[in-house]
Amino acid sequence: MSNPIISYNNIISSLGFNSQEVVEQIAQGKTGLRSITKPTILEKPFISSMVDPEKLKAAYRKIAPTSPHTRLEQMMLVSLSDTIQKANIKLSGRVGLIISTTKGNIDVLDNKNPFSRERAYLSKLALEIGNFFGFTTEPIVVSNACVSGVLALSIAKRLVNGQKFDHIFVVAGDLVTKFIISGFNAFQALSDEPCRPYCKTRTGINIGEVATSVLVTKHHSLAIEESVEIVGDASCNDANHISGPSRTGEGLYRSVQSALKEAKLNASEIDYISAHGTATQYNDEMESIAFNRCGMQETPINSLKGYFGHTLGASGLLETIIGMHSLKRNTLFPSVGFRELGVSHSLNIIQKPKETPLNIFLKTASGFGGSNTAAIFKKI
Amino acid sequence: MNKNNFIQGYCRIKDNTVLKNEELLFSEDTSTLNEFLKLAYQHFKTDYSKFFKMDRLSKLGFLCADVLLNSLKENNLFQENTAIVLANKSASLDTDRKYQKSIEDADNYFPSPAVFVYTLPNICMGEISIRHKLYSENSFFIFDAFNADYLWEYTNSLLQNKKADSVLCGWVDVDEDSYEAFLYVVSANGNLNHTKEEITRLYFTNE
């Protein structure tokens, strides 16, 4: 049995409002990260990539909303509207909707936010998105910290392989808010400069925001140029610590092994790894241990956090879409910000754009709660 | 096609009572959830100091899972590769509100990492995983109300694709004064059929 594929896709970000535009910027070596001065979020300047409010307003107006939406809803609606329009399939009872987010409309808890606090319930957010397009099935919200975006693809694949759905639209998004930035700042995890994953002199994470969406479908006839098949996927917990990654990379190692087994592939058959690489000391170190245990130290690897920052529940989906375009272009994009290896086990960090035949890539993510997800995608 | 799966057991914590299968294990009238959970913790001789660092959602899910998984362990029914599939309505809003209070006012600004980390619903699954050494599949879903459909569908897919040998699943929700945990374990063996109807019946019977 062949697995579902990922087809139409969209990215709403500081680097553009559709996937092609965003990937073109990355190909030109541009980053969306810059210094932001916004005392309503943090008293000192911070590095982030945020969606341009004017551009969002214009794009949102174009989709002709009839009731007001929060900022995150607007981003998700604009993204999903592009993907649904391109897919052009009827939203019947065989079409599902998965929403991936860690914090949803968390900004409505703020006293100054005009929306009702009710909107902080993720099911309310989901209902807004589902009703706007007229989905007839109940939306499924996945909220599993930083692995949510990749996990949502894994869940979509499993549900499409089940009995209920032929197609599932997945939309993912999270905002840069005072809530999130103050939290990572309290953890002393924020970097004062654009982040440098796996680098010796890395100083921490940047948080960014995007909304992004894809169609996952069992109908291979809906494939487009950058389509990939989801050939294997797994999530394994570290069972070790709620806020620190495992010292042995246990959950990530197990996730990759399980995904490889399902895909019936060896480590050497992976052409490229799109890793998590948040640029915190512990995360990057943990990944180097796990990938070495997997025998993947020679496999070209990057983290895309240097282009967007960590976009939380959207990051896994965002980075999977970039990976799909990487495969289509047969081009490895550099892990921007990297200078000199700063993890204990060797990794083959991509430092310059490189054209090379690419067929299969591995996407991984790890997050709070000891969660890890790995998914393997193959060109069709 | 679908191999039959079974519900091995279930546990429910609600209205100051702990029920396992049909049996009332503990009941105590207290005014707060935290107080009740502390008494239940003592009653079950839980002995796990990290419990007191957890937020209310994690404490509730942790205790409910502990009662259920420990009883499977006593009967040699516990399986190492047990996945966790949880759902609720309020995600981590209970702690989100608490954290929001700590950043709302510039004159009273004290964001704490220890609170911030619990502003994710899946931390509850992390706590259960650490306690029972579950290096397994975890996913946290949010629905408007208890939804047997998706839990059933997703649990079956995990078992069928051999991603897990058994699945701890259910509903764990804390929202201001209301709370509820209903967890059950599904595997290839057991007494109750794993069907949407049966899950719904168990959920509502003990309500």
Side-chain angles (χ1 to χ4, degrees):
Chain A
M1 186 185 71
S2 73
N3 279 302
I5 59 162
I6 307 178
S7 179
Y8 301 96
N9 55 87
N10 169 280
I11 298 168
I12 301 295
S13 74
S14 60
L15 287 179
F17 271 35
N18 65 65
S19 306
Q20 279 72 19
E21 192 186 347
V22 172
V23 173
E24 197 45 51
Q25 298 280 313
I26 289 175
Q28 290 174 23
K30 296 206 176 118
T31 167
L33 291 174
R34 61 186 182 87
S35 179
I36 309 258
T37 305
K38 240 184 202 239
T40 50
I41 292 180
L42 195 67
E43 79 283 3
K44 59 179 184 186
F46 59 98
I47 307 289
S48 182
S49 76
M50 293 179 74
V51 171
D52 177 34
E54 290 306 314
K55 211 173 157 187
L56 177 62
K57 201 195 243 175
Y60 173 63
R61 213 174 271 153
K62 266 194 207 151
I63 61 169
T66 54
S67 60
H69 292 100
T70 65
R71 181 173 153 73
L72 179 63
E73 287 162 9
Q74 293 185 16
M75 283 164 53
M76 286 182 163
L77 289 174
V78 170
S79 177
L80 193 52
S81 155
D82 183 39
T83 301
I84 288 181
Q85 208 172 14
K86 284 176 180 152
N88 193 26
I89 51 178
K90 191 171 168 274
L91 300 181
S92 71
R94 305 283 305 163
V95 181
L97 171 63
I98 295 182
I99 293 166
S100 162
T101 184
T102 62
K103 294 314 307 163
N105 287 321
I106 194 68
D107 49 333
V108 306
L109 290 190
D110 195 289
N111 281 335
K112 292 169 210 82
N113 193 292
F115 283 89
S116 146
R117 288 179 179 211
E118 280 288 296
R119 210 64 160 240
Y121 287 93
L122 297 178
S123 56
K124 291 278 180 284
L125 161 76
L127 210 63
E128 286 294 331
I129 308 292
N131 287 347
F132 181 88
F133 298 104
F135 278 88
T136 52
T137 52
E138 185 181 353
I140 302 165
V141 180
V142 178
S143 190
N144 224 84
C146 302
V147 309
S148 302
V150 203
L151 181 61
L153 286 173
S154 166
I155 291 166
K157 179 203 125 191
R158 289 166 185 177
L159 291 178
V160 167
N161 277 342
Q163 295 162 15
K164 214 176 166 83
F165 297 111
D166 295 331
H167 318 274
I168 294 181
F169 286 95
V170 182
V171 60
D174 265 305
L175 293 178
V176 168
T177 55
K178 184 178 182 178
F179 190 101
I180 289 296
I181 298 291
S182 66
F184 279 95
N185 190 48
F187 260 104
Q188 300 189 312
L190 291 183
S191 173
D192 293 334
E193 55 170 4
C195 68
R196 289 186 283 110
Y198 311 110
C199 188
K200 199 168 189 173
T201 50
R202 68 187 182 276
T203 53
I205 204 169
N206 309 135
I207 304 295
E209 66 184 12
V210 299
T212 176
S213 55
V214 297
L215 170 68
V216 174
T217 174
K218 71 163 65 154
H219 293 200
H220 287 221
S221 59
L222 287 170
I224 55 174
E225 255 192 303
E226 65 265 27
S227 278
V228 290
E229 183 182 332
I230 311 171
V231 291
D233 51 280
S235 296
C236 296
N237 199 287
D238 284 333
N240 173 64
H241 196 281
I242 53 164
S243 61
S246 151
R247 283 178 196 280
T248 56
E250 196 60 36
L252 180 57
Y253 168 75
R254 288 180 187 233
S255 301
V256 174
Q257 294 306 313
S258 171
L260 283 169
K261 189 179 162 198
E262 182 184 354
K264 300 189 178 67
L265 291 169
N266 298 316
S268 62
E269 291 173 277
I270 301 292
D271 295 320
Y272 155 57
I273 306 169
S274 173
H276 192 50
T278 58
T280 65
Q281 293 300 329
Y282 290 116
N283 174 79
D284 294 7
E285 174 62 16
M286 178 281 285
E287 286 183 40
S288 84
I289 294 166
F291 290 129
N292 273 262
R293 284 181 69 188
C294 293
M296 291 179 164
Q297 57 274 26
E298 299 298 327
T299 312
I301 182 171
N302 68 12
S303 157
L304 297 167
K305 301 294 189 289
Y307 296 94
F308 305 96
H310 187 355
T311 55
L312 308 175
S315 63
L317 190 62
L318 167 74
E319 291 157 11
T320 298
I321 295 174
I322 311 276
M324 288 163 60
H325 286 268
S326 214
L327 256 54
K328 179 179 103 177
R329 290 169 170 241
N330 290 303
T331 303
L332 295 169
F333 296 126
S335 199
V336 73
F338 179 83
R339 290 173 205 154
E340 189 186 351
L341 194 71
V343 286
S344 67
H345 291 64
S346 75
L347 290 173
N348 180 10
I349 310 284
I350 305 163
Q351 299 194 51
K352 286 188 185 138
K354 189 185 171 192
E355 280 191 35
T356 182
L358 298 174
N359 284 305
I360 299 171
F361 82 100
L362 165 69
K363 172 78 206 110
T364 66
S366 304
F368 279 167
S371 50
N372 300 274
T373 300
I376 300 170
F377 304 97
K378 190 177 176 187
K379 223 181 224 176
I380 52 171
Chain B
M1 273 325 278
N2 257 347
K3 212 174 94 229
N4 281 343
N5 294 313
F6 297 89
I7 297 171
Q8 284 187 303
Y10 59 94
C11 179
R12 174 172 209 109
I13 303 183
K14 201 189 173 183
D15 299 330
N16 293 331
T17 58
V18 181
L19 278 168
K20 192 189 77 193
N21 301 330
E22 302 283 304
E23 190 188 350
L24 176 67
L25 296 187
F26 178 69
S27 181
E28 189 72 57
D29 269 338
T30 57
S31 55
T32 69
L33 173 59
N34 256 331
E35 180 63 15
F36 174 74
L37 290 170
K38 190 178 126 191
L39 293 173
Y41 169 95
Q42 288 164 347
H43 174 84
F44 293 109
K45 300 185 174 49
T46 312
D47 192 24
Y48 190 72
S49 59
K50 276 189 221 162
F51 179 80
F52 295 99
K53 289 186 182 170
M54 297 179 195
D55 74 342
R56 300 198 300 173
L57 181 71
S58 284
K59 278 181 185 166
L60 178 63
F62 175 93
L63 261 190
C64 195
D66 221 44
V67 169
L68 188 50
L69 295 182
N70 287 341
S71 104
L72 292 181
K73 283 176 183 174
E74 280 161 24
N75 295 302
N76 287 324
L77 292 168
F78 175 77
Q79 304 194 65
E80 221 168 77
N81 188 7
T82 296
I84 310 180
V85 179
L86 298 187
N88 77 7
K89 176 182 169 133
S90 316
S92 54
L93 264 177
D94 185 51
T95 300
D96 295 355
R97 292 183 187 116
K98 183 175 168 187
Y99 180 77
Q100 178 67 29
K101 273 194 196 131
S102 75
I103 60 166
E104 190 82 59
D105 182 0
D107 299 328
N108 201 10
Y109 182 84
F110 54 96
S112 143
V115 177
F116 184 66
V117 71
Y118 285 98
T119 63
L120 293 164
N122 64 298
I123 298 296
C124 173
M125 299 189 298
E127 298 285 13
I128 298 169
S129 298
I130 295 168
R131 165 75 157 179
H132 296 278
K133 286 278 155 245
L134 301 177
Y135 299 98
S136 55
E137 288 271 347
N138 278 195
S139 23
F140 207 109
F141 295 103
I142 315 291
F143 296 107
D144 199 41
F146 181 78
N147 187 324
D149 248 43
Y150 282 126
L151 288 176
W152 177 83
E153 181 94 19
Y154 192 64
T155 297
N156 280 346
S157 98
L158 288 175
L159 293 171
Q160 241 173 64
N161 298 312
K162 306 212 178 332
K163 290 290 178 187
D165 298 323
S166 76
V167 184
L168 170 70
C169 36
W171 185 260
V172 184
D173 196 51
V174 176
D175 191 4
E176 292 179 347
D177 293 332
S178 69
Y179 68 89
E180 172 181 32
F182 168 67
L183 298 182
Y184 55 97
V185 173
V186 180
S187 83
N189 305 298
N191 299 323
L192 302 161
N193 284 318
H194 179 237
T195 61
K196 293 176 209 177
E197 294 72 26
E198 190 65 17
I199 299 166
T200 311
R201 187 186 70 81
L202 294 176
Y203 177 76
F204 284 107
T205 307
N206 294 300
E207 208 182 31

